[in-house]
Amino acid sequence: MSDLIDLTITEAREGLENGDFSAQEYTQVHLNEIEAANKALNAFILPTPEKAKEMAKASDERIGKGEAGLLEGIPLGIKDLFCTKDVRTTACSHILDGFEPPYESTVTSNLWNAGGVMLGKLNLDEFAMGSSNETSFYEPCINPWRRTNDDTNLVPGGSSGGSACAVCAHLCAGATATDTGGSIRQPAAFTGTVGLKPTYGRVSRWGTVAFASSLDQAGPITRSVADSALMLQVMAGHDAKDTTCVDVPVPDYSAAMLEKVKGLKIGIPKEYRVEGMGAEIDALWEQGIEWFKDAGATIKEVSLPHTKYALPAYYIVAPAEASSNLARYDGVKYGLRVEGDDILSMYENTRAAGFGAEVKRRILMGTYVLSAGYYDAYYLKAQKVRTRIKQDFDAAFNDVDVLLTPTTPSPAFGVGEKSADPLEMYLNDIFTVTANMAGLPGISVPAGCSASGLPLGLQLIGKAFDEGTLLKAARVIEEAAGALPQPTKWWV
Ligand code: GLN
């Protein structure tokens, strides 16, 4: 039965519906795989086998009654940034020690209502701040991929490293993730998986631990574009509990994905050809352009002149919002508390012990750029840049339907290779932060391999609320790339 583990969500749904196997069997093979692999990969920081078995049993009952939901019996991993009722939720921070939310996030509620089965909570960078999963309080998650003839442990990317790793290593059929500056797309690129960041406002943020509220957006990581469409279908939709969640109908993404590509206009933003980008990334990008031409799309060079300011502006806006969002962790109502002589020292001791170095750096940067003397020079300026970036995209989308770019400037790097230099780490986000700054949807699709044998992704950025076209274009890459190599299974 071990090949059950290799099914995509789309294939598994068919098998479950036909009665080829039960949801309980399908869940059990995943639980076995997690048990065997997790020590080496550290993708799950909290497996929930009992809950999974219970949910799978209920799924089998619903399938038996002909009441199967869209994700009935599908075992999923949940990034530990989504609050799950009575199940420990930590954001991989020490400060949320032992926190068991008394409520369920909207995204996970939607998944369970559609029949999804929870396998457990996944590793991430602390509070989703990072690009390598190395800032997790629960130790880094390890990429299933290794360079050819080299057993150095590589990072799975971040912050959704656990999600990407678990999907890549077939520890779950699909996973939830979040993307504030690239945290879905970059780990997807580093692990050869499909990562979709929806339009800001497409998916409810309610019950998801906040990092930077004007940028955060949840989406799926999966092993195929069709699976991404399915998961998005369930995750998306209006939610009165999140006022930024927009009340527009959720189209049928699985149908939209199949619409014809001929005549689609693909934009190539010339400013994304950055210095220091590897030659193989450039070659992959060229390859992607050829694939779209072959599929009957037209290619047009476009200009996004403010691209070079996106990363610095992001690293002002995101920490500013984070410093405000993280003010709530004070040791009073939940999570860690380190006592002090008085209430003020209790706050100080708790926050000093509870936050890791990167989170402290973000809080310091954030409070600095928001402080009275620097607000205009930094925060206000960054907001103006953000408007310019949005206007660049608006202008480009007058001429084209979708933009094609690389997802990352390099393939996965080694554990510890970049953690000493925050700036070098931040550069990972150079191609992804723009979509967050403009609120646009983006997807990373596996497209090829580096000379060192590692997966590389291509990114598509779409118009607001046009995830359908994004998925349709993503399928062009998926089909043209064909069967890509899989990692050698060294971890069990
Ligand atoms: N790597 C980026 C950061 O550290 C993005 C993180 C994210 O998207 N959550 O801020």
Side-chain angles (χ1 to χ4, degrees):
M1 269 303 189
S2 67
D3 55 343
L4 277 189
I5 212 86
D6 301 326
L7 301 178
T8 62
I9 298 178
T10 313
E11 292 163 346
R13 281 177 76 225
E14 219 183 286
L16 285 162
E17 227 152 89
N18 296 341
D20 298 344
F21 50 87
S22 69
Q24 288 170 93
E25 287 171 280
Y26 187 46
T27 292
Q28 191 57 51
V29 294
H30 286 90
L31 293 174
N32 297 346
E33 200 69 14
I34 293 170
E35 186 145 333
N38 208 43
K39 199 166 178 303
L41 297 176
N42 198 28
F44 280 87
I45 59 159
L46 180 71
T48 54
E50 293 316 313
K51 204 170 176 70
K53 287 179 201 168
E54 213 177 281
M55 292 173 92
K57 188 159 177 271
S59 274
D60 279 332
E61 280 162 17
R62 282 191 295 270
I63 293 170
K65 283 193 258 171
E67 291 169 1
L70 212 50
L71 291 175
E72 198 68 63
I74 302 298
L76 302 171
I78 303 300
K79 185 178 184 179
D80 201 29
L81 203 62
F82 294 87
C83 286
T84 41
K85 190 171 185 300
D86 301 329
V87 175
R88 192 190 72 185
T89 301
T90 67
C92 283
S93 180
H94 187 34
I95 209 154
L96 273 167
D97 261 8
F99 173 52
E100 290 184 0
Y103 49 81
E104 188 79 31
S105 79
T106 298
V107 162
T108 46
S109 297
N110 289 350
L111 294 172
W112 314 146
N113 289 339
V117 169
M118 177 160 89
L119 292 172
K121 306 298 290 285
L122 293 162
N123 208 344
L124 67 141
D125 280 297
E126 184 178 2
F127 283 108
M129 296 172 190
S131 304
S132 63
N133 213 129
E134 289 167 289
T135 72
S136 167
F137 177 69
Y138 297 93
E139 303 290 319
C141 170
I142 304 299
N143 196 329
W145 285 88
R146 283 177 166 173
R147 297 178 187 120
T148 315
N149 299 327
D150 177 350
D151 60 8
T152 308
N153 276 341
L154 304 179
V155 304
S159 65
S160 312
S163 309
C165 168
V167 171
C168 167
H170 299 203
L171 307 188
C172 58
T176 65
T178 62
D179 191 312
T180 303
S183 277
I184 292 177
R185 292 159 287 157
Q186 183 254 20
F190 277 15
T191 55
T193 54
V194 178
L196 169 62
K197 178 202 100 72
T199 311
Y200 184 78
R202 178 71 289 185
V203 172
S204 170
R205 290 180 299 108
W206 192 82
T208 311
V209 176
F211 165 7
S213 305
S214 76
L215 301 159
D216 298 344
Q217 190 63 198
I221 293 184
T222 55
R223 289 194 294 271
S224 78
V225 175
D227 287 3
S228 187
L230 262 178
M231 275 191 78
L232 178 64
Q233 194 78 43
V234 173
M235 292 168 79
H238 180 237
D239 177 13
K241 288 188 280 199
D242 172 3
T243 52
T244 64
C245 189
V246 181
D247 191 2
V248 290
V250 181
D252 181 343
Y253 293 120
S254 302
M257 174 188 88
L258 299 175
E259 279 169 18
K260 72 172 180 46
V261 176
K262 201 169 159 25
L264 192 70
K265 293 193 275 301
I266 307 288
I268 310 298
K270 61 172 189 227
E271 290 80 4
Y272 280 55
R273 215 162 289 263
V274 295
E275 223 176 285
M277 180 170 89
E280 56 192 12
I281 305 279
D282 208 21
L284 186 81
W285 198 8
E286 288 302 325
Q287 173 70 77
I289 294 173
E290 290 310 313
W291 287 338
F292 276 103
K293 281 187 191 159
D294 293 346
T298 55
I299 308 291
K300 191 170 182 224
E301 186 174 274
V302 296
S303 175
L304 302 170
H306 296 88
T307 299
K308 62 174 175 292
Y309 305 116
L311 197 65
Y314 168 84
Y315 276 98
I316 289 172
V317 173
E321 293 184 21
S323 70
S324 163
N325 274 327
L326 269 54
R328 73 189 65 167
Y329 303 105
D330 55 10
V332 175
K333 287 194 178 141
Y334 49 83
L336 183 76
R337 176 184 296 184
V338 181
E339 297 297 348
D341 298 334
D342 52 19
I343 188 152
L344 210 62
S345 60
M346 186 278 279
Y347 290 161
E348 286 171 357
N349 294 346
T350 301
R351 288 170 67 84
F355 292 135
E358 183 60 29
V359 173
K360 284 178 185 156
R361 181 170 14 248
R362 305 285 178 116
I363 294 174
L364 287 171
M365 282 199 287
T367 47
Y368 181 82
V369 300
L370 288 174
S371 61
Y374 297 103
Y375 181 90
D376 289 3
Y378 292 104
Y379 184 72
L380 205 62
K381 189 83 155 257
Q383 292 290 26
K384 287 181 180 164
V385 169
R386 193 170 176 181
T387 304
R388 293 285 185 201
I389 291 167
K390 175 79 175 66
Q391 288 167 345
D392 284 354
F393 278 110
D394 289 345
F397 283 130
N398 281 331
D399 293 335
V400 296
D401 304 308
V402 183
L403 301 170
L404 173 71
T405 80
T407 310
T408 55
S410 75
F413 47 88
V415 173
E417 247 169 52
K418 295 196 179 181
S419 45
D421 182 353
L423 269 187
E424 215 194 320
M425 191 67 87
Y426 298 169
L427 280 171
N428 265 282
D429 307 325
I430 193 150
F431 300 137
T432 48
V433 290
T434 50
N436 302 76
M437 292 295 266
L440 300 172
I443 190 168
S444 177
V445 191
C449 275
S450 71
S452 54
L454 297 177
L456 297 173
L458 283 173
Q459 173 180 236
L460 295 158
I461 301 174
K463 297 178 184 170
F465 295 97
D466 196 14
E467 283 82 359
T469 304
L470 206 60
L471 289 158
K472 172 171 89 172
R475 271 181 51 95
V476 172
I477 299 175
E478 183 177 55
E479 281 182 5
L484 290 166
Q486 292 302 306
T488 312
K489 204 167 173 182
W490 55 266
W491 56 89
V492 286

